[in-house]
Amino acid sequence: MHSLTKTFLYYMLIASVTLALNVTSAHAFEDRGNIVFNQMLKCLKLPADAPCAYNFMVVAVIKDGSADFLSINFRTPPSEWEKTAAPLIADAITQCEPYSSTSGRMEFAVTRELVEAGSKN
């Protein structure tokens, strides 16, 4: 019975470490997305008359400090404003290179709230 308890505790320890690593990894993933988002804001020029709400999902792969791959995705069918804004977001990401402190695949949202909050900082 004693070895069964030790085995159970060992597996609980492995599960705890795995969970902690996943949380740390997700947090690091989010931080890298924030680095690209904050850098992008420096070059972002959105069209006038922005709607009260918009939501783009950006997938970026940063390699050697440059955007190696970019995808701007819409969560709902895009308005004309969003169709105009999407390439400007992509341009801002590539214009504000290099991203020397981060690399890899990252995802982040671009919303009116985040852009306005980031512009104030």
Side-chain angles (χ1 to χ4, degrees):
M1 183 82 151
H2 184 62
S3 67
L4 181 61
T5 303
K6 286 172 81 174
T7 302
F8 176 75
L9 290 175
Y10 176 73
Y11 284 117
M12 287 301 294
L13 175 64
I14 290 174
S16 298
V17 169
T18 302
L19 180 60
L21 288 174
N22 287 341
V23 169
T24 303
S25 174
H27 192 33
F29 186 75
E30 182 179 318
D31 288 346
R32 289 186 313 181
N34 287 339
I35 289 168
V36 175
F37 176 83
N38 290 331
Q39 183 88 355
M40 171 206 67
L41 281 179
K42 296 174 186 176
C43 299
L44 185 60
K45 305 270 189 275
L46 291 173
D49 300 326
C52 60
Y54 56 84
N55 192 344
F56 301 94
M57 191 64 197
V58 177
V59 177
V61 176
I62 307 299
K63 183 177 176 185
D64 298 326
S66 298
D68 192 47
F69 171 81
L70 277 176
S71 175
I72 311 291
N73 304 306
F74 302 100
R75 294 182 186 254
T76 59
S79 67
E80 288 305 312
W81 185 91
E82 289 170 315
K83 289 178 187 176
T84 303
L88 298 174
I89 292 169
D91 288 347
I93 292 170
T94 57
Q95 289 170 6
C96 277
E97 296 172 348
Y99 300 101
S100 56
S101 63
T102 189
S103 64
R105 183 180 189 276
M106 53 211 68
E107 296 180 24
F108 56 92
V110 177
T111 65
R112 183 178 187 127
E113 295 82 12
L114 291 172
V115 168
E116 288 176 354
S119 298
K120 292 176 184 174
N121 291 335

